[in-house]
């Protein structure tokens, strides 16, 4: 069962750059028989391993936007331990309730986007970068295709990364469901660039979240055999 959960995580992360943790945490609780704290920690570790592998595969494709990735990752890595400290002060009931609310919000946002803007999928899945229709966006590209980090763009990325890191430490989510829409909203990037950049950011933030959960969390024992099955399934799904 853990192998199947891992495959689901890898498939979702590989296809969309997001969504693995949102499925992993409830599946681990319901089918894996672990507590919410163990589920969050296992999810972060598995997602970190899978996204590191995915990022390594994308490294040679030149689809990773390193400048926004660095800003998102730095602020997210600083916020992840804060989310973990907040999680320590909440009961399991509140954590499960909060995670469920987050999952509902994600589902509603995706449903509204799919029903009101179906043409958006054609735009974001284009692998071609266009400088047209970029007016009003915080982050823009130069005529030579370089990502321009201006003050408003940097502040938007830093704030978005902070929110991703906070949610990662609190609920064990990688944050791709926020990173990709943020990149697509702030700049004229293609879907493949958003996904590749998201995987790098998720890998760094999830790794920090996992370390903070081990160092600061309430876990006395982490089932490493379960983690191994998750990672193997996740790598297979990502491939």
């Amino acid at each position: 069962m853990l192998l199947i959960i891992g495959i689901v995580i890898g498939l979702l992360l590989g296809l969309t750059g997001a969504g693995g943790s949102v499925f992993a945490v409830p599946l681990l609780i319901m089918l894996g028989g672990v507590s919410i704290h163990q589920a969050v920690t296992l999810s972060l570790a598995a997602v970190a391993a899978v996204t590191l592998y995915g990022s390594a595969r994308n490294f040679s494709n030149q689809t990773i936007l390193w400048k926004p990735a660095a800003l998102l990752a730095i602020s997210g890595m600083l916020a992840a331990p804060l989310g973990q400290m907040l999680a320590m002060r909440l009961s399991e009931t509140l954590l499960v309730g909060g995670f469920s609310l987050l999952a509902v919000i994600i589902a509603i946002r995706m449903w509204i986007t799919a029903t009101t803007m179906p043409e958006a999928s054609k735009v974001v899945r284009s692998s071609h970068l266009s400088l047209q229709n970029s007016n009003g966006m915080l982050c823009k590209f130069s005529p030579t295709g370089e990502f321009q980090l201006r003050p408003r763009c940097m502040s938007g990325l830093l704030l978005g990364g902070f929110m991703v890191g906070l949610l990662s430490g609190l609920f064990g989510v990688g944050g791709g469901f926020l990173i990709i829409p943020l990149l697509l909203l702030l700049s004229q990037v293609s879907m493949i660039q958003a996904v590749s950049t998201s995987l790098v950011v998720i890998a760094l933030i999830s790794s920090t979240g996992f370390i903070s959960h081990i160092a600061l969390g309430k876990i006395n024992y982490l089932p490493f055999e379960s983690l191994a099955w998750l990672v193997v399934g996740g790598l297979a799904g990502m491939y």
Side-chain angles (χ1 to χ4, degrees):
M1 185 56 68
L2 291 170
L3 183 66
I4 295 175
I5 295 174
I7 292 174
V8 171
I9 296 172
L11 278 171
L12 290 170
L13 286 170
L15 285 170
T16 68
S21 301
V22 177
F23 278 86
V25 172
L27 286 175
L28 285 169
I29 294 173
M30 292 186 297
L31 304 178
V34 299
S35 67
I36 177 67
H37 294 288
Q38 283 186 325
V40 166
T41 306
L42 287 170
S43 172
L44 285 172
V47 168
V50 172
T51 49
L52 281 171
Y53 167 70
S55 299
R57 284 181 55 123
N58 292 330
F59 186 80
S60 60
N61 297 336
Q62 297 182 344
T63 56
I64 300 172
L65 302 173
W66 291 105
K67 292 179 181 179
L71 288 176
L72 287 167
I74 289 171
S75 58
M77 291 167 70
L78 292 174
L82 297 179
Q84 165 57 12
M85 287 187 282
L86 178 60
M88 290 173 60
R89 290 170 168 77
L90 299 177
S91 66
E92 288 200 9
T93 301
L94 285 175
L95 281 177
V96 172
F99 184 92
S100 301
L101 179 61
L102 178 65
V104 170
I105 293 173
I106 295 169
I108 292 174
R109 184 192 64 78
M110 293 176 65
W111 179 73
I112 292 175
T113 301
T115 53
T116 59
M117 296 183 296
E119 71 282 358
S121 62
K122 298 179 182 179
V123 176
V124 300
R125 292 185 186 280
S126 170
S127 61
H128 175 65
L129 260 181
S130 173
L131 297 177
Q132 299 177 352
N133 302 323
S134 62
N135 293 332
M137 292 188 171
L138 294 182
C139 303
K140 298 182 180 180
F141 287 85
S142 69
T144 59
E146 291 292 325
F147 197 94
Q148 297 178 329
L149 288 180
R150 296 176 178 177
R152 291 179 62 197
C153 175
M154 292 177 65
S155 61
L157 291 171
L158 288 171
L159 179 60
F162 185 87
M163 291 300 299
V164 169
L166 196 65
L167 291 173
S168 178
L170 185 59
F171 296 122
V173 294
F177 63 90
L178 283 177
I179 297 170
I180 291 179
L182 180 68
L183 288 171
L184 296 174
L185 179 66
L186 295 181
S187 62
Q188 193 75 4
V189 301
S190 64
M191 185 63 171
I192 189 171
Q193 287 177 311
V195 169
S196 299
T197 304
S198 173
L199 290 177
V200 173
V201 178
I202 292 172
L204 295 173
I205 294 179
S206 296
S207 298
T208 303
F210 172 69
I211 293 171
S212 65
H213 270 261
I214 294 295
L216 305 174
K218 303 178 180 179
I219 299 176
N220 297 321
Y221 168 71
L222 185 66
F224 286 99
E225 183 179 351
S226 301
L227 176 58
W229 282 111
L230 279 176
V231 171
V232 169
L235 293 176
M238 173 67 75
Y239 179 79

